[in-house]
Amino acid sequence: AVGVLFGTGLLNKYTFLVLGFSVLLSLIMTKRWEVLRSRWLYISGAVALVMFLPHLLWQINNGWPTLEFMHNATEFKNLSLSPIAFMSQLTIGLNPLTLPLWLSGVLYLLFSKETKEHRFLGWTAVVFILVYLFQNSKFFYVLPVFPVLLGSGAVACERFSQNYRFSWPTWVVGVTMTVSGALLMPLAVPLLPVDQFVSYAKTLGLWDAVRMQNNEGDAMPIHIVYRFGWEEVVDATGAAFNALPQHEKD
């Protein structure tokens, strides 16, 4: 099942290569030798490779176009971010008020006696983030590991409440996540008309908080801009197809 999962993931995103590297390194760092000696680990790797092999051969035969695209995007499109700027965008993009929760999750996984069996998950997340931190990548590339960290942070909060007989931390976390998530949702999901979106983002002081590409200027954030123009693209594509001679359509 893991091999099929990674094989399918690799056919969708090369991010799974980084994830696989992070998992393998974390298993070594946490000395999970029983896992590393298991034949199922290598069977899973072989299954993933077999699934990925046709795509790999196509890349080789066509001059590695995906790697060329990734290089050009890094060189000419993506903003060059310092590690501090990357982490700042990540924190804002995740919702700044989740920072204590997911940071608690990291610490809980790495250092708690209760999480010894799952410590490799914490190191997987750390390695995964560090790889992209120094690769001039967009912050959202690392978001797939954060459900683990947020979930671990929630468990840490619950353990704290139980150990010290406090009920308020879980309530504070729940209310804070719900309210802040609702307030920030329009910045990530196109819920508002354009004029209201601009006014809302500027009112919150987050209009210029996350810029991911060169030459964005004062335009709409790129993840919102990409929502526009698809009907026109469909119409233009249809018109171009209809203008073709019948033998080319066939």
Side-chain angles (χ1 to χ4, degrees):
V2 174
V4 173
L5 174 65
F6 267 82
T8 304
L10 284 169
L11 292 173
N12 181 54
K13 275 286 187 181
Y14 287 178
T15 303
F16 268 75
L17 285 173
V18 181
L19 179 60
F21 167 77
S22 302
V23 171
L24 183 61
L25 185 59
S26 71
L27 290 172
I28 295 172
M29 293 171 66
T30 55
K31 301 179 180 179
R32 297 296 300 272
W33 309 124
E34 74 282 2
V35 178
L36 292 168
R37 285 194 294 262
S38 172
R39 70 178 186 277
W40 294 109
L41 177 66
Y42 303 99
I43 291 173
S44 297
V47 170
L49 178 61
V50 168
M51 293 180 64
F52 186 60
L53 189 58
H55 173 77
L56 184 62
L57 293 175
W58 183 89
Q59 290 286 338
I60 294 172
N61 291 332
N62 289 276
W64 301 97
T66 300
L67 293 183
E68 181 182 357
F69 167 79
M70 293 167 63
H71 169 77
N72 290 339
T74 301
E75 193 74 18
F76 305 112
K77 186 177 74 168
N78 297 348
L79 284 177
S80 180
L81 298 175
S82 67
I84 293 176
F86 180 92
M87 292 305 298
S88 175
Q89 286 201 357
L90 175 61
T91 302
I92 294 170
L94 274 168
N95 175 349
L97 296 181
T98 65
L99 175 62
L101 187 62
W102 63 259
L103 194 56
S104 297
V106 174
L107 297 175
Y108 182 62
L109 283 172
L110 294 184
F111 301 112
S112 174
K113 293 180 180 179
E114 297 178 355
T115 59
K116 183 177 180 180
E117 289 298 312
H118 304 97
R119 189 146 295 148
F120 77 96
L121 293 175
W123 285 115
T124 295
V126 170
V127 172
F128 190 81
I129 293 169
L130 287 175
V131 169
Y132 284 106
L133 183 68
F134 294 103
Q135 289 296 314
N136 194 27
S137 301
K138 296 179 181 178
F139 76 89
F140 57 77
Y141 289 174
V142 304
L143 294 184
V145 300
F146 277 86
V148 174
L149 302 183
L150 290 168
S152 299
V155 173
C157 178
E158 184 178 52
R159 292 287 188 270
F160 177 85
S161 299
Q162 291 173 347
N163 292 338
Y164 293 94
R165 302 181 184 277
F166 293 143
S167 61
W168 61 264
T170 54
W171 285 99
V172 169
V173 170
V175 171
T176 301
M177 296 302 101
T178 301
V179 174
S180 62
L183 289 174
L184 295 174
M185 186 181 295
L187 301 182
V189 181
L191 300 175
L192 300 175
V194 173
D195 292 342
Q196 293 182 24
F197 170 83
V198 172
S199 176
Y200 188 73
K202 290 185 176 180
T203 299
L204 292 179
L206 297 174
W207 176 249
D208 293 315
V210 177
R211 295 291 174 181
M212 294 178 285
Q213 294 188 7
N214 292 315
N215 304 315
E216 282 191 58
D218 195 42
M220 298 279 287
I222 202 68
H223 67 282
I224 298 294
V225 170
Y226 283 162
R227 303 283 181 168
F228 294 94
W230 291 106
E231 292 183 0
E232 291 79 1
V233 170
V234 171
D235 292 340
T237 303
F241 176 78
N242 291 329
L244 292 173
Q246 187 60 44
H247 72 276
E248 291 190 20
K249 292 181 182 181
D250 297 338

